[in-house]
Amino acid sequence: QVQLVESGGGLVQSGGSLRLSCTASGLTLRYYSLGWFRQAPGKEREAVSCISSIDGTTHYADFVKGRFTMSKNNAKNTVSLYLNGLRPEDTAIYYCAAVDLPHCLVAPYEYWGQGTQVTVSS
């Protein structure tokens, strides 16, 4: 069975950094396009970044561009999100998601993790 498990969230001060990881089981991430999403209280879920399986191209939302970096480690079957220069508005539950499609931008993601909480204090 497919399972995605996020880890690495926590409480950090404004300007700090975190590394989120998503570990997959039941699927081989090499063949999946992957996305990071987040949802803050009272807000809709929004896309943060994604990586396409076909060529490894990454995409970032404007609000994180230049601060966050996404990477995939096929050997470890994990995907990470490096969050730098964190701001209070980055506070949210962060989710990883996967889909067996070559492009990530508009993919209908099939598999989702349980989320990990990121809280940024001012």
Side-chain angles (χ1 to χ4, degrees), residues 45-67:
R45 185 179 62 205
E46 59 186 356
V48 174
S49 66
C50 71
I51 184 167
S52 294
S53 64
I54 190 169
D55 57 7
T57 300
T58 53
H59 304 270
Y60 298 92
D62 288 342
F63 55 81
V64 303
K65 193 170 297 183
R67 299 189 296 127

Side-chain angles (χ1 to χ4, degrees), residues 34-120:
L34 305 166
W36 282 99
F37 298 80
R38 71 185 189 186
Q39 187 166 24
K43 297 184 64 178
E44 292 187 357
R45 185 179 62 205
E46 59 186 356
V48 174
S49 66
C50 71
I51 184 167
S52 294
S53 64
I54 190 169
D55 57 7
T57 300
T58 53
H59 304 270
Y60 298 92
D62 288 342
F63 55 81
V64 303
K65 193 170 297 183
R67 299 189 296 127
F68 294 3
T69 302
M70 184 179 185
S71 66
K72 182 168 65 170
N73 188 324
N74 289 329
K76 292 182 177 293
N77 212 37
T78 61
V79 61
S80 297
L81 183 68
Y82 297 85
L83 302 83
N84 301 302
L86 284 164
R87 306 163 180 167
E89 54 264 41
D90 294 319
T91 296
I93 300 175
Y94 284 72
Y95 301 89
C96 65
V99 62
D100 187 16
L101 290 171
H103 302 289
C104 73
L105 277 178
V106 293
Y109 288 92
E110 300 176 69
Y111 307 107
W112 294 80
Q114 85 291 342
T116 186
Q117 177 71 49
V118 172
T119 303
V120 185

